[in-house]
Amino acid sequence: IFLLFRMYRIRSLKSKMDPLGMLEAAPPEPSVDLDQLKVMNLVGQGRYCNVYRGILEEGEVAVKIFAGASRQCYLNEVEMYNLAHIEHPNVLRFLGSSERMGQDNWPEYLLVAEYMSHGSLMNYLKENTYDWLGMCRLGQTAAAGLAHLHQSVDKGGSSRPAIVHRDINSRNVLVKSDLTCVIGDFGFAMKVFGSSVVREGDEDNSTITDVGTVRYMSPEVLDGAVNLRDCESALKQVDIYALGLVLWEIGTRCSELYPGGDVPPYKLPFSDELCPHPTFEDMQVHVSRGRKRPAFPDAWKENNQALRSLKETIEDCWDHDSEARLTALCVEERIIELMVLWDKHHTVSPTINPTSEGMTSAT
Ligand code: ADP
Ligand code: MG
Ligand code: MG
């Protein structure tokens, strides 16, 4: 009994020091041969690590290097990537992980993944515009990746619970060479199962919702009002709110939505309304109390059904009422419908398709 008590004490002590429960995870076996890995140029910087382009067995890879202090993020991310049935065309492909002694004899942790030459979605949006179909493809694939994570899987004798990402934003979505999106950065991702988070030790509920990027935080996260009795649905809804902002970002760079005009430069959500580095309190006032969302461009006032549906889909993602939001799967299906809607609009509208045939059928 004493031993059991001690074990319990150690466990709960551990979870107090480590509220995210990440210390519980056994360190992963190294799965990358460091002698084969060449780390080349820096391609990205996140909050917790530097990302480099690397070469492994003749192929390009991305190498995410975490300093010792970010070990928990590393362990969490590797744990997520090692779950059964995580692979999906719209989820960043994990290739392996390892540890080594860095400069000054401090340990560093390496996570190796497929290299995305376009970098983050945000980088891509800054430098590129695309037509309606290109926009739909970016949005649909981002939604498909998230839908896959949100879906629990049980097949082929192995299973995994649903995963919530908890840090969806345009820096954590990457763009593949075929101009589709993949979801990356599982530093905060979490397994969820109904009302319980799948992890050991005591629960400290504040840490379940107290993560993410403030700009992308939903009103209920800002209010500390996430319904943890149904953790699974509530945290998925938090992801969908952020997906709505990402879809707005993608939409604003679609050249076909500014007929006769220039596409405005890329903007982060809320950058028109708030200072460059809004605080948690700024976001609370604006998004939660003020119920504000990013404005749609003036050029989008045109009354065409495809555009209306796009705006509706975005609004149904960032609804103030979290339970009214769409599921990721539903977002994906709606965007697939959008692809077709635009074609219809083109053939029906005489102003957009003023061929002699189009004119006669319109009169
Ligand atoms: P952090 O957990 O520190 O936020 P991320 O995984 O989000 O790190 O990566 C930071 C940045 O590095 C991304 O925003 C992106 O620009 C770049 N990056 C990350 N992974 C890749 C990849 N697989 N290929 C290309 N660039 C990447
Ligand atoms: Mg990141
Ligand atoms: Mg991260």
Side-chain angles (χ1 to χ4, degrees):
I1 287 167
F2 175 72
L3 247 177
L4 270 176
F5 175 72
R6 258 186 65 113
M7 271 164 63
Y8 171 76
R9 283 285 305 160
I10 289 171
R11 225 189 196 183
S12 57
L13 261 177
K14 242 178 160 180
S15 66
K16 293 244 158 55
M17 294 184 304
D18 168 35
L20 287 179
M22 291 167 177
L23 284 179
E24 306 274 347
E29 291 290 317
S31 52
V32 164
D33 183 358
L34 291 179
D35 295 334
Q36 298 286 318
L37 177 70
K38 283 204 231 24
V39 178
M40 316 294 279
N41 52 306
L42 185 71
V43 293
Q45 266 176 310
R47 267 183 293 177
Y48 303 94
C49 65
N50 290 328
V51 179
Y52 299 84
R53 187 175 67 88
I55 309 283
L56 186 67
E57 290 163 5
E58 313 295 305
E60 270 182 327
V61 293
V63 188
K64 189 167 172 175
I65 303 186
F66 299 74
S70 306
R71 183 166 180 267
Q72 295 194 356
C73 261
Y74 162 79
L75 289 177
N76 192 61
E77 196 161 2
V78 172
E79 188 198 344
M80 295 298 138
Y81 277 124
N82 278 319
L83 292 173
H85 308 298
I86 186 92
E87 312 82 10
H88 185 271
N90 305 114
V91 169
L92 182 63
R93 195 156 69 93
F94 171 73
L95 298 170
S97 62
S98 199
E99 311 184 9
R100 68 180 186 192
M101 275 302 168
Q103 284 158 0
D104 313 327
N105 267 2
W106 285 98
E108 6 175 80
Y109 304 98
L110 283 74
L111 189 157
V112 181
E114 190 179 353
Y115 181 68
M116 301 285 129
S117 57
H118 290 296
S120 71
L121 176 62
M122 190 170 117
N123 291 336
Y124 183 76
L125 297 180
K126 280 181 180 166
E127 285 162 20
N128 298 278
T129 61
Y130 29 76
D131 61 9
W132 175 266
L133 210 62
M135 173 197 69
C136 289
R137 214 177 296 123
L138 288 170
Q140 178 241 317
T141 49
L146 191 59
H148 174 71
L149 297 175
H150 282 183
Q151 179 68 52
S152 60
V153 185
D154 186 356
K155 68 175 179 201
S158 58
S159 63
R160 72 154 167 84
I163 298 167
V164 287
H165 185 281
R166 303 200 302 159
D167 198 14
I168 292 292
N169 63 54
S170 54
R171 284 190 177 93
N172 290 338
V173 174
L174 305 161
V175 178
K176 254 205 264 205
S177 53
D178 65 359
L179 305 186
T180 59
C181 288
V182 297
I183 311 272
D185 194 354
F186 289 84
F188 290 136
M190 210 164 79
K191 298 174 279 180
V192 283
F193 192 76
S195 63
S196 64
V197 178
V198 185
R199 84 190 170 196
E200 272 116 66
D202 290 351
E203 297 298 342
D204 174 357
N205 282 343
S206 67
T207 62
I208 294 179
T209 57
D210 192 16
V211 301
T213 305
V214 284
R215 186 182 299 277
Y216 290 82
M217 280 182 180
S218 67
E220 68 276 16
V221 168
L222 293 165
D223 280 344
V226 177
N227 173 18
L228 292 169
R229 265 170 308 224
D230 186 0
C231 216
E232 178 169 347
S233 309
L235 293 175
K236 286 177 185 174
Q237 289 154 7
V238 168
D239 279 349
I240 298 294
Y241 170 87
L243 178 68
L245 297 181
V246 170
L247 294 178
W248 175 88
E249 291 174 73
I250 295 174
T252 58
R253 296 288 286 161
C254 171
S255 54
E256 273 187 292
L257 293 179
Y258 304 88
D262 288 336
V263 180
Y266 166 78
K267 277 182 196 149
L268 273 167
F270 301 116
S271 59
D272 275 342
E273 299 91 348
L274 298 172
C275 64
H277 300 287
T279 62
F280 187 85
E281 288 72 26
D282 294 336
M283 296 306 299
Q284 257 182 338
V285 170
H286 193 71
V287 168
S288 174
R289 258 169 275 156
R291 295 184 168 231
K292 301 278 201 330
R293 300 293 182 271
F296 294 124
D298 287 339
W300 293 19
K301 294 230 164 77
E302 192 211 342
N303 203 23
N304 112 33
Q305 211 215 314
L307 185 49
R308 262 205 321 269
S309 298
L310 171 68
K311 289 193 278 191
E312 241 171 62
T313 302
I314 295 174
E315 283 167 342
D316 291 346
C317 287
W318 68 34
D319 202 297
H320 211 78
D321 174 5
S322 59
E323 292 188 7
R325 291 177 202 146
L326 301 173
T327 63
L329 194 62
C330 187
V331 176
E332 192 202 350
E333 283 164 2
R334 286 245 200 133
I335 300 178
I336 290 170
E337 285 167 20
L338 286 180
M339 296 182 181
V340 186
L341 263 185
W342 188 257
D343 283 341
K344 272 197 199 147
H345 164 79
H346 265 240
T347 47
V348 169
S349 163
T351 53
I352 292 193
N353 191 9
T355 60
S356 53
E357 252 187 7
M359 293 303 258
T360 38
S361 64
T363 46

